[in-house]
Amino acid sequence: MWRSEDWKDYELIDCGGGEKLERWGKYLLVRPDPQAIWDTPRTDPRWQKPHGRYARSSTGGGQWAKKDVPERWTVDYKGLTFNIKPMNFKHTGLFPEQAANWDFCMEAIENAGRPISVLNLFAYTGAATVACAAAGASVCHVDAAKGMVAWAKENAQSSGVADRPIRWIVDDCAKFVQREIRRGHTYDAVIMDPPSYGRGPSREIWKLEENLWPFVELVTQVLSDKPLFFLINSYTTGLAPSVLTYILETLITKKHGGHTESEELGLPVTNTGLALPCGATGRWMAK
């Protein structure tokens, strides 16, 4: 498991009973987590006095039952600054377990010894975009949601990389990649964080288990002749990390060499010393 253990402004204090108790800067949040199926004694008094608590509804969905927090605030990670905004669907705009991947991308870019161009697909609020730009890469940030791209620009501004070579694209990722193939544009590195389930611009259904292989196959066509890395995130429960290895080894290693590593992502839990699993990542690397 790759753990994100270097946080100062984020802490997973405890988890269990389908919830997690977190510290985001100076604010405590309790949010649902379907992986935390075990019991926890909840002896930590902070469970009883969070600044925000998101409660699931028995009829589906949910809402913030308590939210004594500002509309936004920031957290820092190794010189990067991210804007946190609790949203209607429990999210805050940042997945702290992804810090392990930011570290990986930044190290690869800094050690490449050459200019690196990165394509970030399903790029959300741009944490990976900001990390890659801070490491010296040029980045093409693509997400279909205009509001998420605007939020990503705010994170770039807060992190001091707004003046770096970043292309901000509001578009369907598959359609954008198809156009890039026609244009002959290529990238040295790819990051993708596709949803488990969604709908495309023409209401077509996206289902990760069915669409990931053909999508990765498509995206490999925009890799440069000397690619550096290719990273796939998955939050689909039941999709083993070894599935990502198989896809990357088959589609990329056969052509470009290198090797693949895939693992669960995890966040250390302060009160138990254990780790909460938070999805999986596959990383193809040239070396």
Side-chain angles (χ1 to χ4, degrees):
M1 177 183 280
W2 291 320
R3 301 188 185 198
S4 297
E5 298 182 310
D6 295 336
W7 276 100
K8 301 290 192 296
D9 276 3
Y10 172 85
E11 179 186 8
L12 178 52
I13 300 167
D14 196 11
C15 57
E19 291 184 312
K20 55 189 174 185
L21 171 64
E22 308 164 289
R23 178 179 60 80
W24 294 81
K26 64 181 181 180
Y27 298 106
L28 299 173
L29 300 181
V30 173
R31 298 188 296 153
D33 195 294
Q35 295 280 59
I37 63 173
W38 47 84
D39 286 332
T40 186
R42 303 198 183 209
T43 53
D44 191 314
R46 289 173 290 185
W47 274 109
Q48 310 309 320
K49 52 180 182 181
H51 299 95
R53 180 186 293 273
Y54 189 93
R56 288 281 194 201
S57 169
S58 58
T59 58
Q63 62 181 350
W64 288 96
K66 177 184 180 183
K67 194 165 71 168
D68 297 329
V69 295
E71 184 177 323
R72 71 164 73 189
W73 67 96
T74 61
V75 297
D76 290 345
Y77 181 79
K78 296 183 178 180
L80 307 176
T81 300
F82 303 111
N83 292 275
I84 303 304
K85 308 175 194 176
M87 295 184 286
N88 289 337
F89 183 65
K90 80 173 183 178
H91 294 309
T92 63
L94 192 70
F95 293 95
E97 66 275 6
Q98 288 294 328
N101 283 330
W102 310 334
D103 290 341
F104 162 78
C105 294
M106 294 178 77
E107 182 178 1
I109 292 164
E110 289 168 352
N111 293 334
R114 58 187 172 98
I116 297 297
S117 58
V118 178
L119 176 62
N120 188 10
L121 299 168
F122 308 98
Y124 194 50
T125 59
T129 294
V130 167
C132 291
S138 60
V139 187
C140 182
H141 173 109
V142 187
D143 197 280
K146 184 177 181 180
M148 294 300 104
V149 175
W151 193 336
K153 290 180 180 180
E154 294 173 5
N155 285 333
Q157 184 70 43
S158 297
S159 295
V161 298
D163 60 342
R164 306 291 174 87
I166 304 173
R167 293 172 64 200
W168 303 104
I169 308 294
V170 179
D171 201 352
D172 174 76
C173 288
K175 293 186 182 305
F176 176 78
V177 170
Q178 288 164 352
R179 285 198 298 275
E180 291 291 85
I181 293 170
R182 292 194 295 269
R183 294 167 182 149
H185 291 174
T186 60
Y187 299 87
D188 302 307
V190 172
I191 302 167
M192 64 170 67
D193 201 345
S196 298
Y197 180 87
R199 290 189 180 273
S202 301
R203 306 302 294 167
E204 65 271 24
I205 293 176
W206 166 279
K207 197 172 183 181
L208 190 72
E209 298 93 325
E210 298 174 3
N211 296 103
L212 184 59
W213 169 273
F215 184 72
V216 175
E217 191 173 30
L218 175 72
V219 176
T220 59
Q221 297 179 60
V222 296
L223 282 177
S224 67
D225 292 335
K226 290 181 61 179
L228 182 65
F229 65 81
F230 197 116
L231 188 150
I232 304 174
N233 286 309
S234 169
Y235 285 94
T236 300
T237 304
L239 191 67
S242 54
V243 172
L244 302 178
T245 294
Y246 203 103
I247 291 172
L248 290 168
E249 286 288 294
T250 304
L251 290 175
I252 303 181
T253 303
K254 278 191 174 182
K255 179 177 180 181
H256 296 285
H259 71 286
T260 303
E261 296 177 5
S262 298
E263 291 281 358
E264 284 187 294
L265 291 179
L267 285 168
V269 182
T270 302
N271 285 2
T272 63
L274 301 172
L276 175 69
C278 305
T281 291
R283 301 170 180 170
W284 173 86
M285 295 156 280
K287 296 180 181 180

